[in-house]
Amino acid sequence: MCSHISDSERRLRCAMMAAIDEGVQEILDVMRDVGYDDNLLVVFTPVNAGGGNYGSETYPLRGKKATLYEGGIRVPAFFHSKTLLPNSSFVYRGLMHQTDMLPTLLKAAKVATADLPTDIDGVNNWNRIVNKKPSARKIIVHDVDVAYGWGAVRDGKWKLIYFKHNASELCVGWLDFPREEKKPKKVTCKEWELYDMNQDPGEENDLSELKLSRLNKMKRLYADAEARAVPHLLVVNTTRTYPENFGGVWTPYGC
């Protein structure tokens, strides 16, 4: 299946995806055999965007994993159900954040949400998805890193990116583009960048100097998110993940 791919990293990723496909199919076969597939919702979503250096491609989006551009934060996902979704497949393009999964899936499962805290970050998008309506999600705080001084927020079609002291590790261009496109991989980023995501999903045209009123509004949104940000705990050189603490097994810590 993957032997025709010349690039070794992409060939490896192809094999990994093929293995995932086989595993998912085995799970679905079991669910069918035990009679659960008529009341089943399958949700598949990646952990993060493509790394860029390991065979993945994010073009025509800009950036890669661990950056604030769409190539680093936008991921595909799918819902599948024989009975809970419309019969025909469709692409839902409404905004969706990972925190929306909880109230959305509870609604899909017809679980009462009255006991959920009213101040959770997630919003219920289930009926919007099923009926192909615009998302209830309007604002996304992609990141507000007070310690390092960078972040990004989204309000509808508008996205604001903030770089303090021109954070070089996050300031990237376009990767893995066709040779004829001639996109710059290395760019110079401004302290504040503003993009219209409906018209410019590739984040090529910074509108911060042309849309000053919108820029100021987005800055206020960013300042509000920054004021509410909880300082993250940086765990350095901890021994708490050592195998002897977990029966000889390495385990994640602090995620």
Side-chain angles (χ1 to χ4, degrees):
M1 179 182 296
C2 305
S3 59
H4 65 285
I5 300 175
S6 59
D7 183 276
S8 60
E9 289 288 353
R10 291 195 61 75
R11 188 166 60 249
L12 175 61
R13 294 309 181 274
C14 172
M16 293 169 66
M17 292 306 300
I20 291 175
D21 284 346
E22 292 177 2
V24 171
Q25 186 61 61
E26 290 178 2
I27 294 172
L28 294 180
D29 288 345
V30 171
M31 300 299 282
R32 181 197 61 223
D33 292 343
V34 298
Y36 287 169
D37 62 332
D38 284 336
N39 191 31
L40 178 68
L41 176 65
V42 178
V43 181
F44 192 93
T45 177
V47 175
N48 50 249
N53 299 328
Y54 304 101
S56 58
E57 294 182 358
T58 59
Y59 187 82
L61 300 179
R62 181 177 176 178
K64 61 179 182 177
K65 175 185 175 182
T67 71
L68 298 170
Y69 295 104
E70 293 297 287
I73 58 179
R74 182 186 295 199
V75 296
F78 71 77
F79 288 1
H80 168 75
S81 176
K82 292 172 59 176
T83 55
L84 301 177
L85 291 167
N87 292 329
S88 59
S89 62
F90 64 96
V91 177
Y92 185 73
R93 300 190 182 278
L95 279 181
M96 188 96 174
H97 188 267
Q98 192 70 26
T99 57
D100 300 335
M101 287 294 186
L102 173 61
T104 298
L105 295 181
L106 286 178
K107 180 65 176 179
K110 298 181 180 177
V111 175
T113 58
D115 293 334
L116 282 178
T118 57
D119 59 348
I120 64 171
D121 293 321
V123 298
N124 169 27
N125 263 323
W126 179 250
N127 289 336
R128 308 276 183 137
I129 294 172
V130 171
N131 296 306
K132 307 176 187 178
K133 300 294 184 180
S135 171
R137 163 69 63 183
K138 304 302 179 187
I139 293 174
I140 293 179
V141 178
H142 290 301
D143 189 15
V144 173
D145 196 313
V146 178
Y148 290 101
W150 61 61
V153 294
R154 175 89 177 253
D155 184 1
K157 69 176 185 175
W158 295 102
K159 178 180 174 183
L160 180 76
I161 301 177
Y162 170 59
F163 296 107
K164 184 178 182 181
H165 308 308
N166 192 21
S168 58
E169 62 268 38
L170 301 184
C171 180
V172 295
W174 296 263
L175 310 172
D176 304 307
F177 49 83
R179 185 172 300 175
E180 63 272 14
E181 293 283 350
K182 297 182 179 180
K183 299 286 186 184
K185 290 186 177 182
K186 294 184 178 181
V187 295
T188 300
C189 297
K190 295 163 60 177
E191 182 178 17
W192 297 99
E193 296 180 356
L194 179 68
Y195 296 98
D196 180 339
M197 301 309 299
N198 286 355
Q199 300 297 322
D200 183 26
E203 294 165 298
E204 298 185 43
N205 303 304
D206 172 25
L207 301 176
S208 60
E209 296 182 4
L210 298 177
K211 301 287 185 180
L212 293 179
S213 176
R214 173 57 59 173
L215 174 65
N216 289 330
K217 182 177 180 179
M218 295 297 290
K219 281 184 176 181
R220 291 192 293 270
L221 175 63
Y222 187 94
D224 177 66
E226 188 175 47
R228 294 183 290 109
V230 177
H232 54 69
L233 176 64
L234 296 177
V235 181
V236 181
N237 297 328
T238 179
T239 61
R240 283 175 281 187
T241 61
Y242 280 19
E244 54 263 34
N245 298 324
F246 299 95
V249 178
W250 284 100
T251 184
Y253 175 80
C255 294

